[in-house]
Amino acid sequence: MSDKEKLYEGKAKILYKGPRPDTIIQYFKDDATAFNNVKKGTIAGKGIINNKITELVMTRLSQIGIPTHFIERLSDREQLIYEVEIIPLEVIVRNTVAGTMTKTFGIEEGTRLPRPIIEFSLKDDDLGDPLIPENHVLVLGIAEEYEVIEIMEMTSKINDFLRGFFAGIGIELIDFKLEFGRLDDGNDGHFLVLADEFSPDNCRLWDFETGEKMDKDRFRRDLGGEVEAYQEVARRLGVSLELEDPKAEDEE
Ligand code: C5P
């Protein structure tokens, strides 16, 4: 697959030029990073799992009326997506206190919030993805006011749906990160779509019965068993991990 034109290589994914001008091929790697690239490693088979979980989640979300950049899964590690202009915000939803919120506010991990919090971080590795208030987003021209409203509405709807979706398989959705992009409407305008991915790399998932962590925190905190945890999330979601191409186990 080396004949594809590489557009960008990120920490967990590579973007290649797609077969049509408005499309991109998103390739999922096994590389894992944490703490803004300070910790690096690999989780064997993660790219395959995240590709397939993202396919399922994006498909379900589009069925409930959330527009997404997802077109179709192409192979074990690749999916075809629409090219969008990414809004440089990490949209984070918190249902239960964990991670940064524990550290910043000194609240015990696992404290359930009376209602979900949606917060924004500026997507900028050099600055360490700082938390950014909505006012700054507007004044700095990162997004328009109507876009922020739409992002909040879509994010709320996504959270309501996904909490129930994961609860149905015995998993508590603690928090997660979303990214949105502007998709050209072919008429000199654009509309917002959910972009990037949804996988155990960018959410916290705890087993309802045991409290066991089933997400990237296993890697971040050296808990071990990350491959098994990702596989278990896929198994419960009914995502088949049978390879279409045995060579997919080896990364490009
Ligand atoms: O680290 P923090 O507690 O702010 O993370 C909140 C949620 O957002 C977690 O599920 C984490 O995996 C996700 N996140 C992410 N990418 C980032 C920052 C956070 O996927 N750069």
Side-chain angles (χ1 to χ4, degrees), residues 90 92 94 98-101 119 129 175-177 201-204 220:
E90 305 204 322
I92 292 174
R94 300 183 190 276
T100 309
M101 201 172 170
E119 67 186 38
D129 300 335
D175 58 25
F176 57 95
K177 187 259 305 186
D201 265 10
N202 38 53
C203 61
R204 288 194 171 91
R220 290 189 191 100

Side-chain angles (χ1 to χ4, degrees), residues 203-220:
C203 61
R204 288 194 171 91
L205 302 169
W206 295 356
D207 183 276
F208 257 121
E209 299 237 314
T210 62
E212 185 97 348
K213 297 184 196 313
M214 306 173 74
D215 54 66
K216 203 165 103 178
D217 268 353
R218 302 208 70 84
F219 168 77
R220 290 189 191 100

Side-chain angles (χ1 to χ4, degrees), residues 160-179:
D160 287 347
F161 175 77
L162 289 181
R163 277 178 100 172
F165 189 54
F166 280 101
I169 54 165
I171 293 176
E172 190 177 352
L173 181 59
I174 302 299
D175 58 25
F176 57 95
K177 187 259 305 186
L178 302 176
E179 291 182 27

Side-chain angles (χ1 to χ4, degrees), residues 53-105:
I53 290 180
T54 297
E55 173 192 21
L56 175 70
V57 172
M58 291 284 179
T59 305
R60 289 296 158 85
L61 289 175
S62 77
Q63 286 164 352
I64 62 152
I66 303 289
T68 82
H69 73 165
F70 180 80
I71 303 174
E72 62 174 326
R73 187 168 61 76
L74 298 173
S75 66
D76 294 303
R77 286 184 184 271
E78 293 168 317
Q79 50 184 244
L80 187 66
I81 57 173
Y82 287 111
E83 183 171 18
V84 298
E85 181 195 347
I86 289 285
I87 297 176
L89 290 176
E90 305 204 322
V91 181
I92 292 174
V93 182
R94 300 183 190 276
N95 296 309
T96 295
V97 174
T100 309
M101 201 172 170
T102 315
K103 282 189 224 114
T104 311
F105 300 104

Side-chain angles (χ1 to χ4, degrees), residues 9-12 29-33 41-43 46-47 201 251:
E9 179 153 6
K11 290 176 248 178
K29 300 192 284 182
D30 288 349
D31 292 348
T33 63
T42 54
I43 301 175
K46 171 173 86 74
D201 265 10
E251 289 189 86

Side-chain angles (χ1 to χ4, degrees), residues 89 120 134 137-138 143-153 192:
L89 290 176
F120 298 131
E134 187 180 323
V137 172
L138 300 177
E144 301 287 335
E145 189 162 16
Y146 78 90
E147 291 179 319
V148 171
I149 293 169
E150 230 178 288
I151 287 173
M152 299 293 277
E153 281 173 3
L192 288 186

